[in-house]
Amino acid sequence: MNPTWLRLFLCCTVLLISSQHVAATMAEEAIDPLVPMPSWEVLEYEQRAFLVRARSRIEVNPSEDSDDSWFMISRSSVASNSEEVQLEVLALDGSATYRSRLSRGREQRFKTYNFEAEHIDRVRFDPGGESSLPPDQWPVSSRQQVGYPTGAEGLAVTDGYALLVIAGQLLASGLDSLSVVVNTEFNFYLVSMSVDPEEQSVDADYRVVNSSSNVRGKRAARAVKLKVSPLGEQPDKHDFSLLGLSGDSTIFFDQENGLPIQLRGRAPRIGETQINLKSAELRSPLV
């Protein structure tokens, strides 16, 4: 082969290999999740006020339908009212792709939300005379497209329950702050999260299901503060909620195992309150 052509061939080969390496590296970085699976699989919280007990159970697992998503089921109850939320979220940034909400109390209703690029497709189902059927087979009572507000561009749009995971991953990432957008029914809220640099002491009393002992007493904890602001027009009255807390709040994470052991904030008709972790199941059992 002519030496000039040989040198050209070698140069092209090197460039091809280099470009393939760069492409592979970029692909690897692109799928490296910002919000990977948390250390816990199940959390259970409890709050007591005025002889009423509120409970919440939150479970997070890898999605069965997608390798780059995780799936959350949240079940909450207060007196005779209960709610179940199912949520599919991208591991990359915590963005919701699908949510359903089943509410039971004086009335029953089931709603689904598909998070599309330009809007959210919201469908409401009411049982009517078909309450014996599964909720997704109830008659459809309304369909609406909910547009994203100005200011949501470039931010993850998610559900309030996902904040427990996202705040924990912010703390683990070493970053100081992060902002996301939370959608409720028709309202949107900007949630600005910031890490408190100071270690704090928090009273705890919770059970680790797959461990040999309970956790009681003072625990060294790190705090993530959440500042909640309405974003865009608010068609409904204020309806932001994080396990019953209606606005700015603080999540305290156990320094040793990363569990969100306490939430502090304001709850409607109660005022300043705290919600405590009662039990947890870790993804990797303690020894």
Side-chain angles (χ1 to χ4, degrees):
M1 180 181 291
N2 185 293
T4 301
W5 284 105
L6 177 60
R7 286 194 297 270
L8 181 60
F9 172 77
L10 292 175
C11 287
C12 291
T13 302
V14 170
L15 287 173
L16 178 60
I17 293 173
S18 298
S19 64
Q20 289 175 338
H21 173 72
V22 170
T25 301
M26 292 176 64
E28 182 178 350
E29 291 177 351
I31 63 174
D32 183 28
L34 175 64
V35 187
M37 282 287 102
S39 62
W40 51 269
E41 185 173 344
V42 179
L43 300 176
E44 293 190 4
Y45 290 92
E46 185 175 286
Q47 178 194 30
R48 293 175 180 268
F50 308 127
L51 302 179
V52 176
R53 180 168 59 181
R55 292 177 172 177
S56 296
R57 184 184 190 276
I58 301 148
E59 181 175 353
V60 179
N61 283 297
S63 172
E64 295 181 356
D65 301 323
S66 173
D67 293 335
D68 59 358
S69 300
W70 43 267
F71 185 69
M72 170 181 285
I73 300 179
S74 303
R75 297 183 176 93
S76 302
S77 62
V78 181
S80 59
N81 299 311
S82 66
E83 176 184 83
E84 178 179 297
V85 173
Q86 298 190 14
L87 182 66
E88 188 96 16
V89 176
L90 292 179
L92 181 64
D93 61 0
S95 297
T97 57
Y98 171 82
R99 177 180 65 200
S100 68
R101 177 180 285 121
L102 174 63
S103 303
R104 298 183 186 275
R106 289 184 178 180
E107 297 180 356
Q108 298 185 78
R109 53 198 177 276
F110 179 66
K111 301 169 187 175
T112 62
Y113 309 75
N114 282 288
F115 291 73
E116 306 292 348
E118 302 297 330
H119 59 263
I120 301 171
D121 284 328
R122 177 186 180 274
V123 182
R124 173 168 172 161
F125 305 76
D126 288 292
E130 308 293 338
S131 58
S132 61
L133 294 174
D136 60 355
Q137 295 181 24
W138 292 348
V140 172
S141 58
S142 68
R143 295 180 183 270
Q144 293 169 285
Q145 290 185 346
V146 182
Y148 298 112
T150 301
E153 301 86 354
L155 297 177
V157 179
T158 191
D159 181 82
Y161 284 111
L163 295 175
L164 281 172
V165 177
I166 298 174
Q169 297 306 321
L170 169 62
L171 188 61
S173 72
L175 299 174
D176 296 326
S177 61
L178 178 68
S179 293
V180 298
V181 175
V182 167
N183 165 252
T184 51
E185 288 288 334
F186 300 101
N187 293 341
F188 292 84
Y189 299 88
L190 177 66
V191 180
S192 302
M193 295 179 279
S194 60
V195 176
D196 190 332
E198 301 296 327
E199 182 181 289
Q200 302 190 41
S201 180
V202 174
D203 287 317
D205 183 2
Y206 63 90
R207 179 172 63 97
V208 179
V209 175
N210 42 359
S211 174
S212 58
S213 61
N214 293 350
V215 178
R216 292 190 179 93
K218 296 287 186 180
R219 301 289 291 180
R222 294 289 303 280
V224 176
K225 297 181 178 180
L226 280 61
K227 181 175 178 55
V228 180
S229 307
L231 188 62
E233 296 182 2
Q234 302 288 291
D236 282 345
K237 62 181 181 180
H238 182 90
D239 58 352
F240 176 88
S241 178
L242 174 58
L243 300 189
L245 302 180
S246 60
D248 296 352
S249 58
T250 303
I251 307 175
F252 294 89
F253 292 85
D254 194 311
Q255 186 84 314
E256 182 177 335
N257 54 33
L259 292 173
I261 57 176
Q262 189 180 93
L263 290 80
R264 295 180 190 172
R266 293 185 62 84
R269 297 185 296 276
I270 296 176
E272 294 294 331
T273 188
Q274 61 187 39
I275 300 171
N276 296 299
L277 180 67
K278 302 306 293 182
S279 71
E281 183 175 339
L282 300 183
R283 204 164 298 281
S284 299
L286 296 174
V287 292

